[in-house]
Each structure stands twice: as C-alpha cells, then as structure tokens.
Amino acid sequence: LYDARGRGESDGTENNYGWDWPKDIAGALAFLRERENVDPERIAALGLSTGADALLEVAGTGDGLAALVTDGAAAASFADGQNLNGTGIHSVPSTIRVLSGDPPGPPLADLVPRIDEPTLLISAGTDIERDFNVLYDRVARGPVEHWNLPRAHHTDAIYEQRDAYERRVVA
C-alpha cells in the first residue's frame, strides 16, 4: 500500500480524480520490482474507486502486472461518460483540469481492450457503476470477468460480503 500524491506522507498536490495516480502506481511497481524478496512476475494489484480507474489506466498501457482486481471503477474523464451513454458531467472534470493543470488520462473503454492480465471487475449496485463495468467487460479482449453485487455499496463489498469477496478475489 502506498500513499497517493498529496496524501499521507507523499508530496504533491492531491487530485481526487486520480489523473496523476498512474505515475504513482508506476513508481510503486518500480519499487517492488527492485526488491530482492519480490518476484516481479507475481505482482498483482487491487484498486478501489478512483484507484480502480487509475489501475485500469496503468494496466491498459502495459505495466506488466500478473493480475488485477478493480472494485468500483467508473469514469476517469468526461470521455468515459460519453462512451457510456453519450453524455457526461462537463463542468467537474473541466474545472479540475483548469484548477490543477492535470489532464485526464485516455478513456478507460479505449484501454481495457489492451489488458492481457487476468482481471476481475467488481461493481456495486444497479446503476452507473455497474453500467461502466458492463461496458468495460464488453470491450475487453483479455481474460476479464465482471462481478456485480447489486445489494452492495460502493467499495464496501469487501466488508459487506467478506467471505464471497475473498473467495472471488483470490480465485
């Protein structure tokens, strides 16, 4: 577990949309790959919420992970909303880009087809979070599986359905 930029003991400016988080994830992976007690061929990752979005971006650009689990992925940019239903929230990503100077990454629906690693997409509820993961599962070309928990709350399935969650993630 690492501190994303601007959080915990990490320097930098926090961006809750995670647009710079792929750089942080790349740094964490580089750190792990250089450790003698880590097999670089067996590094997997779990991302929650915005961390799930960032992890899909990293995996879609060829990071060399052995596997990944994303819980609560949705939209990382306005383009993601357009890919889902032709609309999106215009002002929030635009405002963040202007105020932070950070651009969003590429649309996740364009990156998911590039993921070759075994991937488990976890979504909660029956609305937009599920819909984004259905889209990502549909465009995937690699070994991707979508698991929706309609009664779970955003990223809380790890607690709300602990045993089933552990079995599914470990499998």
Side-chain angles (χ1 to χ4, degrees), residues 41-114:
E41 302 296 316
R42 294 181 49 98
I43 298 172
L46 167 67
L48 304 174
S49 193
T50 304
D53 299 339
L55 189 55
L56 286 172
E57 182 177 340
V58 168
T61 56
D63 63 357
L65 285 169
L68 62 142
V69 176
T70 64
D71 184 344
S77 69
F78 173 69
D80 288 316
Q82 288 180 312
N83 282 337
L84 181 63
N85 59 18
T87 63
I89 302 169
H90 301 270
S91 61
V92 174
S94 298
T95 301
I96 289 173
R97 183 176 186 160
V98 168
L99 294 177
S100 72
D102 296 328
L108 296 178
D110 293 350
L111 296 174
V112 169
R114 300 179 189 171

Side-chain angles (χ1 to χ4, degrees), residues 62 97 111 129 137 165:
R97 183 176 186 160
L111 296 174
E129 179 179 321
D137 187 34
Y165 194 98

Side-chain angles (χ1 to χ4, degrees), residues 118-160:
T119 301
L120 176 61
L121 305 169
I122 301 172
S123 66
T126 58
D127 55 10
I128 197 160
E129 179 179 321
R130 179 208 53 208
D131 296 346
F132 272 111
N133 283 275
V134 167
L135 169 66
Y136 301 146
D137 187 34
R138 188 176 71 240
V139 300
R141 294 188 186 125
V144 173
E145 176 185 351
H146 174 222
W147 181 37
N148 176 254
L149 295 113
R151 292 189 183 101
H153 298 90
H154 179 66
T155 71
D156 283 342
I158 194 169
Y159 306 110
E160 295 170 348

